[in-house]
Amino acid sequence: MKKILVTGGLGYIGSHTVVELQNTGFEVVIIDDLSNSSKEVLSRITSITGIKPDFEEIDLKNKQAVEQFFKNYSIDGVIHFAASKAVGESVNEPLKYYENNITTLTYVLKEMIANQVPNFIFSSSCTVYGQADELPITENAPTKPAESPYGATKKMGEIIIEDTTKVTALKAIALRYFNPIGAHETSKIGELPLGVPQNLVPFVVQTAAGIRECLSVFGDDYNTPDGTAVRDYIHVVDLAKAHIVALNRLLNNENKATCEFFNIGTGKGSSVLDVINAFEKATNKKVNYKIVARRAGDITAAYADTSLANNELGWKAELGLEEALASSWKWQESLK
Ligand code: UD1
């Protein structure tokens, strides 16, 4: 049985990926510092799969602890989610982001190399493309200057990894996620935003639940069919499955370069109003909303060309927007 380290494995995407790893026969060890997650997720994962993953509460900024971890565990691959991810916060606390997302990445990579662990999957983001000149966005689209320190850490992370693969035995795949939404069908794991949600779907769901009074739709004067901004919303379970196929590609030496990049999205663009309408249709719940000014730093439209992931990874998103939104709602209801 192959043993995989999942950093940030108690977080939103991490926990869904741990479930898929266990379901496909991998042994999992999670590192999480619980800074934006809870230990309860461990028992929730266990109740879905029937297998308790190993868990180490480690802050990856602790270099000695990372070294000791790699001495204690014999690992076949690493899926690296652990990172801070609030765009607004990153603008106000850049050093927190560079330390949490970059310093820790270098520690993990160093120990992988020192311990001959060659297989690395990185959580990247479509944010590296900024406002792309052409839609849908292919992996060949040029990356743009980052809009925030958070975005910079994703871009820099890719560069650090690619440079490292050039001169070591490290093999890596960076998955560029579009907008992950939804929750596991069991409603035992899902997204748990702390405080007021910054992302669209958690805000929609909390508005429908009566926790928030009114959703602000940020701008209806974009150059899009209905004037609201367009994104590619992907079900988190589909996204989790992409990590398994990417990992297997490396484990089976099927990769065509030592560092590869894949867009992980549905290929379909949906506007903010599309999301509200699909949510109302999927749940029969009304979402109270008003149009307000654009949010600083937002782009007009982004959706993926997924041909490379479809053809090379043999992966395709299977779940649609309404299914994803219904699962987000079911998850919210389960939190009552
Ligand atoms: C954001 C981040 C992105 C990150 C991703 C993680 C920014 C600028 N970008 O993407 O780097 O990788 O989250 O999930 O923060 N919207 C509203 N009302 C709201 C919230 C959002 O109208 O209350 C709109 C936004 O203007 C946007 C769309 O909904 O058009 C999606 O927003 P969001 O969920 O925050 O994701 P992104 O901004 O695309």
mmCIF file of all heavy atoms in Angstrom, residues 23-66:
data_model
loop_
_atom_site.group_PDB
_atom_site.id
_atom_site.type_symbol
_atom_site.label_atom_id
_atom_site.label_comp_id
_atom_site.label_asym_id
_atom_site.label_seq_id
_atom_site.Cartn_x
_atom_site.Cartn_y
_atom_site.Cartn_z
ATOM 1 N N ASN A 23 -10.443 5.860 -0.356
ATOM 2 C CA ASN A 23 -11.383 5.056 -1.159
ATOM 3 C C ASN A 23 -10.697 4.341 -2.320
ATOM 4 O O ASN A 23 -11.219 3.371 -2.836
ATOM 5 C CB ASN A 23 -12.515 5.930 -1.704
ATOM 6 C CG ASN A 23 -13.540 6.246 -0.635
ATOM 7 O OD1 ASN A 23 -13.577 5.576 0.403
ATOM 8 N ND2 ASN A 23 -14.361 7.259 -0.860
ATOM 9 N N THR A 24 -9.536 4.881 -2.754
ATOM 10 C CA THR A 24 -8.849 4.201 -3.861
ATOM 11 C C THR A 24 -7.663 3.379 -3.373
ATOM 12 O O THR A 24 -6.813 2.989 -4.163
ATOM 13 C CB THR A 24 -8.397 5.208 -4.947
ATOM 14 O OG1 THR A 24 -7.841 6.351 -4.312
ATOM 15 C CG2 THR A 24 -9.532 5.646 -5.823
ATOM 16 N N GLY A 25 -7.575 3.167 -2.058
ATOM 17 C CA GLY A 25 -6.600 2.202 -1.547
ATOM 18 C C GLY A 25 -5.261 2.780 -1.118
ATOM 19 O O GLY A 25 -4.303 2.027 -0.951
ATOM 20 N N PHE A 26 -5.182 4.093 -0.934
ATOM 21 C CA PHE A 26 -3.947 4.675 -0.410
ATOM 22 C C PHE A 26 -4.017 4.753 1.114
ATOM 23 O O PHE A 26 -5.094 4.917 1.685
ATOM 24 C CB PHE A 26 -3.731 6.095 -0.958
ATOM 25 C CG PHE A 26 -3.328 6.133 -2.406
ATOM 26 C CD1 PHE A 26 -4.265 6.407 -3.393
ATOM 27 C CD2 PHE A 26 -2.013 5.895 -2.771
ATOM 28 C CE1 PHE A 26 -3.906 6.440 -4.732
ATOM 29 C CE2 PHE A 26 -1.637 5.926 -4.107
ATOM 30 C CZ PHE A 26 -2.588 6.190 -5.085
ATOM 31 N N GLU A 27 -2.835 4.676 1.724
ATOM 32 C CA GLU A 27 -2.741 4.931 3.145
ATOM 33 C C GLU A 27 -2.403 6.416 3.289
ATOM 34 O O GLU A 27 -1.570 6.921 2.526
ATOM 35 C CB GLU A 27 -1.617 4.070 3.717
ATOM 36 C CG GLU A 27 -1.801 3.707 5.163
ATOM 37 C CD GLU A 27 -0.680 2.792 5.624
ATOM 38 O OE1 GLU A 27 -0.345 1.844 4.888
ATOM 39 O OE2 GLU A 27 -0.133 3.062 6.682
ATOM 40 N N VAL A 28 -3.021 7.079 4.240
ATOM 41 C CA VAL A 28 -2.859 8.532 4.328
ATOM 42 C C VAL A 28 -2.297 8.943 5.684
ATOM 43 O O VAL A 28 -2.741 8.434 6.719
ATOM 44 C CB VAL A 28 -4.210 9.248 4.105
ATOM 45 C CG1 VAL A 28 -4.056 10.757 4.300
ATOM 46 C CG2 VAL A 28 -4.774 8.952 2.715
ATOM 47 N N VAL A 29 -1.339 9.854 5.652
ATOM 48 C CA VAL A 29 -0.955 10.540 6.879
ATOM 49 C C VAL A 29 -1.150 12.035 6.646
ATOM 50 O O VAL A 29 -0.731 12.578 5.620
ATOM 51 C CB VAL A 29 0.478 10.185 7.352
ATOM 52 C CG1 VAL A 29 1.488 10.254 6.237
ATOM 53 C CG2 VAL A 29 0.900 11.078 8.511
ATOM 54 N N ILE A 30 -1.851 12.639 7.581
ATOM 55 C CA ILE A 30 -2.191 14.065 7.459
ATOM 56 C C ILE A 30 -1.277 14.890 8.359
ATOM 57 O O ILE A 30 -1.050 14.521 9.508
ATOM 58 C CB ILE A 30 -3.660 14.298 7.907
ATOM 59 C CG1 ILE A 30 -4.633 13.614 6.945
ATOM 60 C CG2 ILE A 30 -3.963 15.784 8.036
ATOM 61 C CD1 ILE A 30 -6.088 13.643 7.429
ATOM 62 N N ILE A 31 -0.774 15.985 7.812
ATOM 63 C CA ILE A 31 -0.181 17.029 8.655
ATOM 64 C C ILE A 31 -1.105 18.239 8.563
ATOM 65 O O ILE A 31 -1.491 18.648 7.466
ATOM 66 C CB ILE A 31 1.236 17.435 8.170
ATOM 67 C CG1 ILE A 31 2.247 16.344 8.481
ATOM 68 C CG2 ILE A 31 1.649 18.752 8.810
ATOM 69 C CD1 ILE A 31 3.689 16.701 8.093
ATOM 70 N N ASP A 32 -1.457 18.768 9.727
ATOM 71 C CA ASP A 32 -2.285 19.977 9.738
ATOM 72 C C ASP A 32 -1.932 20.734 11.022
ATOM 73 O O ASP A 32 -1.671 20.110 12.054
ATOM 74 C CB ASP A 32 -3.772 19.603 9.722
ATOM 75 C CG ASP A 32 -4.653 20.713 9.183
ATOM 76 O OD1 ASP A 32 -4.707 21.796 9.822
ATOM 77 O OD2 ASP A 32 -5.295 20.519 8.136
ATOM 78 N N ASP A 33 -1.922 22.066 10.953
ATOM 79 C CA ASP A 33 -1.620 22.827 12.179
ATOM 80 C C ASP A 33 -2.897 23.345 12.839
ATOM 81 O O ASP A 33 -2.828 24.069 13.832
ATOM 82 C CB ASP A 33 -0.649 23.985 11.882
ATOM 83 C CG ASP A 33 -1.292 25.078 11.038
ATOM 84 O OD1 ASP A 33 -2.446 24.910 10.583
ATOM 85 O OD2 ASP A 33 -0.634 26.121 10.820
ATOM 86 N N LEU A 34 -4.037 22.983 12.291
ATOM 87 C CA LEU A 34 -5.356 23.341 12.828
ATOM 88 C C LEU A 34 -5.586 24.851 12.848
ATOM 89 O O LEU A 34 -6.456 25.329 13.553
ATOM 90 C CB LEU A 34 -5.553 22.752 14.241
ATOM 91 C CG LEU A 34 -5.363 21.227 14.369
ATOM 92 C CD1 LEU A 34 -5.565 20.774 15.814
ATOM 93 C CD2 LEU A 34 -6.355 20.486 13.467
ATOM 94 N N SER A 35 -4.809 25.611 12.057
ATOM 95 C CA SER A 35 -4.972 27.065 12.080
ATOM 96 C C SER A 35 -6.279 27.489 11.415
ATOM 97 O O SER A 35 -6.836 28.526 11.736
ATOM 98 C CB SER A 35 -3.791 27.749 11.385
ATOM 99 O OG SER A 35 -3.708 27.338 10.035
ATOM 100 N N ASN A 36 -6.767 26.670 10.474
ATOM 101 C CA ASN A 36 -8.041 27.018 9.829
ATOM 102 C C ASN A 36 -8.850 25.738 9.619
ATOM 103 O O ASN A 36 -9.496 25.556 8.591
ATOM 104 C CB ASN A 36 -7.763 27.730 8.493
ATOM 105 C CG ASN A 36 -9.011 28.348 7.895
ATOM 106 O OD1 ASN A 36 -9.988 28.601 8.598
ATOM 107 N ND2 ASN A 36 -9.010 28.561 6.591
ATOM 108 N N SER A 37 -8.756 24.842 10.609
ATOM 109 C CA SER A 37 -9.476 23.571 10.489
ATOM 110 C C SER A 37 -9.658 23.027 11.895
ATOM 111 O O SER A 37 -9.176 23.620 12.856
ATOM 112 C CB SER A 37 -8.663 22.579 9.660
ATOM 113 O OG SER A 37 -7.423 22.337 10.289
ATOM 114 N N SER A 38 -10.366 21.926 12.002
ATOM 115 C CA SER A 38 -10.613 21.390 13.331
ATOM 116 C C SER A 38 -10.323 19.895 13.343
ATOM 117 O O SER A 38 -10.481 19.197 12.342
ATOM 118 C CB SER A 38 -12.068 21.688 13.721
ATOM 119 O OG SER A 38 -12.725 20.527 14.106
ATOM 120 N N LYS A 39 -9.905 19.424 14.518
ATOM 121 C CA LYS A 39 -9.530 18.031 14.666
ATOM 122 C C LYS A 39 -10.729 17.113 14.472
ATOM 123 O O LYS A 39 -10.580 15.935 14.164
ATOM 124 C CB LYS A 39 -8.901 17.805 16.048
ATOM 125 C CG LYS A 39 -7.811 16.764 15.994
ATOM 126 C CD LYS A 39 -7.050 16.671 17.277
ATOM 127 C CE LYS A 39 -6.355 15.320 17.315
ATOM 128 N NZ LYS A 39 -5.734 15.056 18.602
ATOM 129 N N GLU A 40 -11.916 17.669 14.644
ATOM 130 C CA GLU A 40 -13.141 16.884 14.472
ATOM 131 C C GLU A 40 -13.249 16.319 13.049
ATOM 132 O O GLU A 40 -13.885 15.297 12.823
ATOM 133 C CB GLU A 40 -14.337 17.784 14.774
ATOM 134 C CG GLU A 40 -15.591 17.007 15.126
ATOM 135 C CD GLU A 40 -16.840 17.837 14.898
ATOM 136 O OE1 GLU A 40 -16.823 19.033 15.261
ATOM 137 O OE2 GLU A 40 -17.810 17.273 14.344
ATOM 138 N N VAL A 41 -12.636 17.021 12.092
ATOM 139 C CA VAL A 41 -12.693 16.569 10.688
ATOM 140 C C VAL A 41 -12.100 15.165 10.559
ATOM 141 O O VAL A 41 -12.534 14.367 9.740
ATOM 142 C CB VAL A 41 -11.967 17.584 9.769
ATOM 143 C CG1 VAL A 41 -11.911 17.098 8.325
ATOM 144 C CG2 VAL A 41 -12.658 18.950 9.830
ATOM 145 N N LEU A 42 -11.133 14.856 11.427
ATOM 146 C CA LEU A 42 -10.497 13.539 11.404
ATOM 147 C C LEU A 42 -11.532 12.432 11.656
ATOM 148 O O LEU A 42 -11.571 11.428 10.932
ATOM 149 C CB LEU A 42 -9.406 13.516 12.484
ATOM 150 C CG LEU A 42 -8.316 12.487 12.371
ATOM 151 C CD1 LEU A 42 -7.552 12.636 11.057
ATOM 152 C CD2 LEU A 42 -7.334 12.653 13.547
ATOM 153 N N SER A 43 -12.367 12.626 12.652
ATOM 154 C CA SER A 43 -13.379 11.586 12.933
ATOM 155 C C SER A 43 -14.464 11.582 11.858
ATOM 156 O O SER A 43 -15.062 10.549 11.561
ATOM 157 C CB SER A 43 -13.973 11.749 14.327
ATOM 158 O OG SER A 43 -14.273 13.083 14.556
ATOM 159 N N ARG A 44 -14.682 12.732 11.247
ATOM 160 C CA ARG A 44 -15.668 12.779 10.158
ATOM 161 C C ARG A 44 -15.162 12.019 8.938
ATOM 162 O O ARG A 44 -15.917 11.287 8.294
ATOM 163 C CB ARG A 44 -16.007 14.228 9.816
ATOM 164 C CG ARG A 44 -16.871 14.852 10.905
ATOM 165 C CD ARG A 44 -16.985 16.348 10.761
ATOM 166 N NE ARG A 44 -17.993 16.861 11.670
ATOM 167 C CZ ARG A 44 -19.223 17.232 11.305
ATOM 168 N NH1 ARG A 44 -19.581 17.157 10.042
ATOM 169 N NH2 ARG A 44 -20.087 17.669 12.189
ATOM 170 N N ILE A 45 -13.887 12.198 8.626
ATOM 171 C CA ILE A 45 -13.290 11.430 7.524
ATOM 172 C C ILE A 45 -13.412 9.936 7.841
ATOM 173 O O ILE A 45 -13.829 9.131 6.999
ATOM 174 C CB ILE A 45 -11.800 11.821 7.335
ATOM 175 C CG1 ILE A 45 -11.678 13.247 6.795
ATOM 176 C CG2 ILE A 45 -11.089 10.827 6.414
ATOM 177 C CD1 ILE A 45 -10.253 13.801 6.780
ATOM 178 N N THR A 46 -13.065 9.590 9.072
ATOM 179 C CA THR A 46 -13.107 8.186 9.489
ATOM 180 C C THR A 46 -14.514 7.617 9.368
ATOM 181 O O THR A 46 -14.697 6.460 8.965
ATOM 182 C CB THR A 46 -12.607 8.054 10.944
ATOM 183 O OG1 THR A 46 -11.380 8.776 11.064
ATOM 184 C CG2 THR A 46 -12.378 6.603 11.315
ATOM 185 N N SER A 47 -15.510 8.432 9.684
ATOM 186 C CA SER A 47 -16.883 7.908 9.611
ATOM 187 C C SER A 47 -17.344 7.737 8.158
ATOM 188 O O SER A 47 -18.242 6.954 7.875
ATOM 189 C CB SER A 47 -17.852 8.782 10.403
ATOM 190 O OG SER A 47 -18.140 9.948 9.673
ATOM 191 N N ILE A 48 -16.726 8.428 7.214
ATOM 192 C CA ILE A 48 -17.084 8.239 5.799
ATOM 193 C C ILE A 48 -16.399 6.986 5.245
ATOM 194 O O ILE A 48 -17.019 6.167 4.572
ATOM 195 C CB ILE A 48 -16.650 9.462 4.938
ATOM 196 C CG1 ILE A 48 -17.425 10.713 5.363
ATOM 197 C CG2 ILE A 48 -16.886 9.191 3.446
ATOM 198 C CD1 ILE A 48 -16.943 12.002 4.691
ATOM 199 N N THR A 49 -15.108 6.824 5.535
ATOM 200 C CA THR A 49 -14.331 5.766 4.871
ATOM 201 C C THR A 49 -14.143 4.526 5.733
ATOM 202 O O THR A 49 -13.747 3.473 5.233
ATOM 203 C CB THR A 49 -12.923 6.288 4.511
ATOM 204 O OG1 THR A 49 -12.248 6.636 5.738
ATOM 205 C CG2 THR A 49 -12.987 7.498 3.611
ATOM 206 N N GLY A 50 -14.379 4.664 7.039
ATOM 207 C CA GLY A 50 -14.141 3.527 7.938
ATOM 208 C C GLY A 50 -12.669 3.343 8.277
ATOM 209 O O GLY A 50 -12.305 2.380 8.954
ATOM 210 N N ILE A 51 -11.827 4.255 7.815
ATOM 211 C CA ILE A 51 -10.387 4.147 8.091
ATOM 212 C C ILE A 51 -9.905 5.454 8.721
ATOM 213 O O ILE A 51 -10.131 6.537 8.169
ATOM 214 C CB ILE A 51 -9.569 3.911 6.796
ATOM 215 C CG1 ILE A 51 -10.170 2.757 5.979
ATOM 216 C CG2 ILE A 51 -8.106 3.638 7.112
ATOM 217 C CD1 ILE A 51 -9.766 2.785 4.517
ATOM 218 N N LYS A 52 -9.241 5.330 9.872
ATOM 219 C CA LYS A 52 -8.722 6.538 10.509
ATOM 220 C C LYS A 52 -7.350 6.861 9.919
ATOM 221 O O LYS A 52 -6.427 6.066 10.023
ATOM 222 C CB LYS A 52 -8.590 6.308 12.015
ATOM 223 C CG LYS A 52 -8.338 7.572 12.802
ATOM 224 C CD LYS A 52 -8.438 7.272 14.310
ATOM 225 C CE LYS A 52 -8.448 8.540 15.120
ATOM 226 N NZ LYS A 52 -7.166 9.210 15.195
ATOM 227 N N PRO A 53 -7.201 8.026 9.265
ATOM 228 C CA PRO A 53 -5.874 8.362 8.745
ATOM 229 C C PRO A 53 -4.941 8.699 9.905
ATOM 230 O O PRO A 53 -5.396 9.158 10.948
ATOM 231 C CB PRO A 53 -6.115 9.592 7.873
ATOM 232 C CG PRO A 53 -7.478 10.093 8.207
ATOM 233 C CD PRO A 53 -8.196 9.085 9.032
ATOM 234 N N ASP A 54 -3.629 8.486 9.709
ATOM 235 C CA ASP A 54 -2.662 8.974 10.690
ATOM 236 C C ASP A 54 -2.727 10.491 10.697
ATOM 237 O O ASP A 54 -2.994 11.109 9.651
ATOM 238 C CB ASP A 54 -1.238 8.551 10.287
ATOM 239 C CG ASP A 54 -0.985 7.087 10.596
ATOM 240 O OD1 ASP A 54 -1.773 6.491 11.358
ATOM 241 O OD2 ASP A 54 -0.005 6.547 10.060
ATOM 242 N N PHE A 55 -2.482 11.070 11.848
ATOM 243 C CA PHE A 55 -2.527 12.531 11.928
ATOM 244 C C PHE A 55 -1.383 13.060 12.782
ATOM 245 O O PHE A 55 -1.144 12.555 13.875
ATOM 246 C CB PHE A 55 -3.860 12.987 12.528
ATOM 247 C CG PHE A 55 -3.889 14.455 12.858
ATOM 248 C CD1 PHE A 55 -3.739 15.406 11.861
ATOM 249 C CD2 PHE A 55 -4.035 14.893 14.179
ATOM 250 C CE1 PHE A 55 -3.731 16.767 12.165
ATOM 251 C CE2 PHE A 55 -4.029 16.244 14.488
ATOM 252 C CZ PHE A 55 -3.887 17.183 13.478
ATOM 253 N N GLU A 56 -0.685 14.045 12.276
ATOM 254 C CA GLU A 56 0.365 14.730 13.039
ATOM 255 C C GLU A 56 0.044 16.218 13.063
ATOM 256 O O GLU A 56 -0.060 16.844 12.008
ATOM 257 C CB GLU A 56 1.739 14.523 12.382
ATOM 258 C CG GLU A 56 2.223 13.086 12.366
ATOM 259 C CD GLU A 56 2.715 12.583 13.727
ATOM 260 O OE1 GLU A 56 2.955 13.415 14.644
ATOM 261 O OE2 GLU A 56 2.854 11.357 13.863
ATOM 262 N N GLU A 57 -0.128 16.751 14.263
ATOM 263 C CA GLU A 57 -0.352 18.207 14.368
ATOM 264 C C GLU A 57 0.999 18.906 14.310
ATOM 265 O O GLU A 57 1.723 18.976 15.299
ATOM 266 C CB GLU A 57 -1.082 18.534 15.671
ATOM 267 C CG GLU A 57 -1.465 20.007 15.734
ATOM 268 C CD GLU A 57 -2.224 20.380 16.994
ATOM 269 O OE1 GLU A 57 -2.841 19.497 17.624
ATOM 270 O OE2 GLU A 57 -2.178 21.579 17.345
ATOM 271 N N ILE A 58 1.339 19.359 13.125
ATOM 272 C CA ILE A 58 2.648 19.984 12.912
ATOM 273 C C ILE A 58 2.442 21.305 12.182
ATOM 274 O O ILE A 58 1.647 21.392 11.240
ATOM 275 C CB ILE A 58 3.555 19.061 12.058
ATOM 276 C CG1 ILE A 58 3.967 17.813 12.864
ATOM 277 C CG2 ILE A 58 4.806 19.802 11.552
ATOM 278 C CD1 ILE A 58 4.737 16.774 12.052
ATOM 279 N N ASP A 59 3.141 22.326 12.646
ATOM 280 C CA ASP A 59 3.193 23.592 11.928
ATOM 281 C C ASP A 59 4.408 23.496 10.990
ATOM 282 O O ASP A 59 5.538 23.347 11.454
ATOM 283 C CB ASP A 59 3.371 24.722 12.954
ATOM 284 C CG ASP A 59 3.455 26.089 12.294
ATOM 285 O OD1 ASP A 59 3.703 26.160 11.063
ATOM 286 O OD2 ASP A 59 3.279 27.096 13.010
ATOM 287 N N LEU A 60 4.161 23.562 9.704
ATOM 288 C CA LEU A 60 5.245 23.348 8.734
ATOM 289 C C LEU A 60 6.311 24.442 8.793
ATOM 290 O O LEU A 60 7.380 24.297 8.203
ATOM 291 C CB LEU A 60 4.692 23.232 7.309
ATOM 292 C CG LEU A 60 3.801 22.009 7.024
ATOM 293 C CD1 LEU A 60 3.196 22.112 5.633
ATOM 294 C CD2 LEU A 60 4.566 20.701 7.176
ATOM 295 N N LYS A 61 6.042 25.515 9.524
ATOM 296 C CA LYS A 61 7.080 26.546 9.709
ATOM 297 C C LYS A 61 8.158 26.053 10.677
ATOM 298 O O LYS A 61 9.221 26.649 10.779
ATOM 299 C CB LYS A 61 6.464 27.846 10.249
ATOM 300 C CG LYS A 61 5.509 28.514 9.261
ATOM 301 C CD LYS A 61 5.169 29.942 9.646
ATOM 302 C CE LYS A 61 4.322 30.081 10.904
ATOM 303 N NZ LYS A 61 2.980 29.484 10.790
ATOM 304 N N ASN A 62 7.841 24.976 11.397
ATOM 305 C CA ASN A 62 8.793 24.383 12.327
ATOM 306 C C ASN A 62 9.679 23.389 11.564
ATOM 307 O O ASN A 62 9.322 22.232 11.368
ATOM 308 C CB ASN A 62 8.006 23.693 13.451
ATOM 309 C CG ASN A 62 8.916 23.087 14.500
ATOM 310 O OD1 ASN A 62 10.111 22.888 14.259
ATOM 311 N ND2 ASN A 62 8.341 22.792 15.644
ATOM 312 N N LYS A 63 10.822 23.899 11.123
ATOM 313 C CA LYS A 63 11.721 23.124 10.258
ATOM 314 C C LYS A 63 12.123 21.792 10.898
ATOM 315 O O LYS A 63 12.129 20.749 10.238
ATOM 316 C CB LYS A 63 12.964 23.979 9.967
ATOM 317 C CG LYS A 63 13.811 23.496 8.815
ATOM 318 C CD LYS A 63 14.790 24.599 8.404
ATOM 319 C CE LYS A 63 15.503 24.274 7.121
ATOM 320 N NZ LYS A 63 16.802 23.652 7.313
ATOM 321 N N GLN A 64 12.456 21.838 12.180
ATOM 322 C CA GLN A 64 12.883 20.616 12.871
ATOM 323 C C GLN A 64 11.763 19.585 12.885
ATOM 324 O O GLN A 64 11.994 18.392 12.713
ATOM 325 C CB GLN A 64 13.319 20.906 14.329
ATOM 326 C CG GLN A 64 14.701 21.532 14.447
ATOM 327 C CD GLN A 64 14.710 22.994 13.997
ATOM 328 O OE1 GLN A 64 13.717 23.708 14.164
ATOM 329 N NE2 GLN A 64 15.790 23.443 13.378
ATOM 330 N N ALA A 65 10.544 20.065 13.081
ATOM 331 C CA ALA A 65 9.405 19.131 13.129
ATOM 332 C C ALA A 65 9.194 18.478 11.766
ATOM 333 O O ALA A 65 8.857 17.293 11.670
ATOM 334 C CB ALA A 65 8.141 19.873 13.570
ATOM 335 N N VAL A 66 9.409 19.240 10.706
ATOM 336 C CA VAL A 66 9.255 18.689 9.350
ATOM 337 C C VAL A 66 10.338 17.628 9.120
ATOM 338 O O VAL A 66 10.061 16.527 8.625
ATOM 339 C CB VAL A 66 9.341 19.804 8.279
ATOM 340 C CG1 VAL A 66 9.219 19.229 6.870
ATOM 341 C CG2 VAL A 66 8.244 20.843 8.511
#
